[in-house]
Amino acid sequence: MDYNKNAGIDLHIHSNASDGTFSPAEILDLAQELDLGAIAITDHDTVNGSKEALSIGIPSSLKFLTGVEISASPPPPFSYSASLHILGYSIKIDNPALNKTLAILQEARKNRNPGIVARLNSMGVALSMDELLNEVGDGQLGRPHIARLMVKKGYVESIKEAFDKYLGKGKPAYLDKYRIDCSTAIEIILGAGGIPVIAHPYLLNPGNVADLEDFIIVLKKMGLKGIEVYYPEHSPHIISLFEDMANRHELLMTGGTDFHGSLKPKLKMGSGTGNFFVPYILYERLISSA
Ligand code: AMP
Ligand code: ZN
Ligand code: FE
Ligand code: FE
């Protein structure tokens, strides 16, 4: 079967190797069902989702990019209320330096969770690490899992409410975690033969996207190759601002939904909240740059 060049693509998908609820096999099945042309599995700080998809075998109708989404910190004086995520595409998943750094980040995630649970407990939210670990299976425990358990146990109505009241950055149960700086994140992605792209930049500074340009220039000097221009939370106006920025600085454009299965119930793979669409040509430009 030939692949579908008229199809959309989705280059930002989480599997149950991090905080998505679909396994890599289910993601491959769904992408085929939706007739997507290309996808990437971009789990937080792990390549296990991509690895599993490759070992299952990629259907001939679908193009697949290995991926990762690394939580990083910006260099001073840049500082943002949301966390900085760097996507890495087409990485060699067995690269030793990449895997060594990801192992450190995974450890930092593990060490953070008991502290969040302790804060919740002290606020009268009764849940334990054992209950949480039951929620996750083999994946990597993160705040969305904690939020889901809070919904299940009736402490909040929705995952969003759990973040807004307890778990979001700056909220009472929030704990920061160790992050690598973004120059290191970019370096290890490049070192693993990959393409570093800044994820959902609008979320960093929703008030003033134009102010992000200086930061993007700094990231480009570090080796950044692209901007995630197309994202469900980017309005048409915001998209055009990022398209212009990408063109001005000769950066690639990528796009994806940030699909998390039932942990972001409003977001569908490929189509986001409805009419989101990322054209196949962006996948072709991305791989031809590698
Ligand atoms: P963690 O990896 O534990 O830091 O959690 C990051 C995940 O939490 C990402 O998948 C985000 O999409 C999700 N997240 C962060 N802030 C919010 C929020 N305000 N509402 C819902 N999900 C959020
Ligand atoms: Zn996530
Ligand atoms: Fe992200
Ligand atoms: Fe993501």
Side-chain angles (χ1 to χ4, degrees), residues 14 18-20 44 69 85 109 144 258-260 264:
H14 292 267
S18 65
D19 57 2
H44 299 288
E69 182 176 26
H85 290 171
R109 283 177 169 276
D258 214 353
F259 180 70
H260 278 71
K264 288 196 182 176

Side-chain angles (χ1 to χ4, degrees), residues 21-60:
T21 57
F22 281 51
S23 68
E26 289 165 337
I27 288 169
L28 293 174
D29 285 348
L30 181 55
Q32 271 185 293
E33 213 171 284
L34 296 170
D35 212 14
L36 293 178
I39 62 165
I41 295 184
T42 52
D43 279 308
H44 299 288
D45 301 333
T46 175
V47 291
N48 288 345
S50 287
K51 202 180 260 183
E52 193 175 322
L54 290 179
S55 75
I56 293 164
I58 308 301
S60 60

Side-chain angles (χ1 to χ4, degrees), residues 112-113 115-117 119-120 123 125 127 132 142-151 156 158-176:
R112 169 204 206 198
N113 292 317
I116 295 179
V117 168
R119 287 192 175 210
L120 288 170
M123 295 170 75
V125 178
L127 44 84
L132 275 171
R143 285 178 294 159
H145 299 109
I146 302 177
R148 182 172 63 189
L149 185 58
M150 289 171 73
V151 175
V156 285
S158 65
I159 288 175
K160 184 176 180 315
E161 188 187 338
F163 273 91
D164 290 347
K165 289 197 178 152
Y166 297 94
L167 301 169
K169 199 166 173 181
K171 304 298 176 198
Y174 179 79
L175 269 189
D176 218 345

Side-chain angles (χ1 to χ4, degrees), residues 212-222 249:
L212 284 173
E213 188 150 1
D214 288 344
F215 180 47
I216 299 235
I217 292 168
V218 169
L219 289 175
K220 189 182 169 183
K221 285 191 186 128
M222 293 172 178
H249 302 292

Side-chain angles (χ1 to χ4, degrees), residues 62-245:
L62 187 67
K63 296 290 173 182
F64 182 81
L65 287 175
T66 56
V68 68
E69 182 176 26
I70 299 180
S71 301
S73 55
F78 300 102
S79 161
Y80 301 106
S81 56
S83 90
L84 168 65
H85 290 171
I86 306 287
L87 293 159
Y89 289 116
S90 203
I91 39 176
K92 295 188 179 80
I93 51 178
D94 290 326
N95 178 268
L98 172 73
N99 280 281
K100 198 172 154 198
T101 304
L102 294 180
I104 293 169
L105 295 175
Q106 287 157 21
E107 194 58 30
R109 283 177 169 276
K110 260 192 210 147
N111 294 338
R112 169 204 206 198
N113 292 317
I116 295 179
V117 168
R119 287 192 175 210
L120 288 170
N121 291 165
S122 74
M123 295 170 75
V125 178
L127 44 84
S128 67
M129 278 306 294
D130 280 349
E131 281 173 292
L132 275 171
L133 292 170
N134 275 337
E135 281 284 295
V136 182
D138 292 336
Q140 186 169 230
L141 175 56
R143 285 178 294 159
H145 299 109
I146 302 177
R148 182 172 63 189
L149 185 58
M150 289 171 73
V151 175
K152 262 194 202 165
K153 296 187 83 173
Y155 288 107
V156 285
E157 297 267 315
S158 65
I159 288 175
K160 184 176 180 315
E161 188 187 338
F163 273 91
D164 290 347
K165 289 197 178 152
Y166 297 94
L167 301 169
K169 199 166 173 181
K171 304 298 176 198
Y174 179 79
L175 269 189
D176 218 345
K177 61 176 178 287
Y178 167 75
R179 291 160 196 276
I180 52 174
D181 49 54
C182 57
S183 60
T184 309
I186 290 170
E187 247 167 56
I188 61 161
I189 291 166
L190 290 171
I195 307 166
V197 171
I198 180 171
H200 42 64
Y202 169 78
L203 302 186
L204 280 180
N205 197 19
N208 193 341
V209 164
D211 276 359
L212 284 173
E213 188 150 1
D214 288 344
F215 180 47
I216 299 235
I217 292 168
V218 169
L219 289 175
K220 189 182 169 183
K221 285 191 186 128
M222 293 172 178
L224 189 82
K225 297 276 190 270
I227 301 180
E228 188 178 48
V229 170
Y230 306 96
Y231 189 74
E233 287 176 61
H234 291 181
S235 68
H237 173 64
I238 297 297
I239 286 174
S240 75
L241 292 178
F242 284 127
E243 284 172 340
D244 291 347
M245 236 184 256

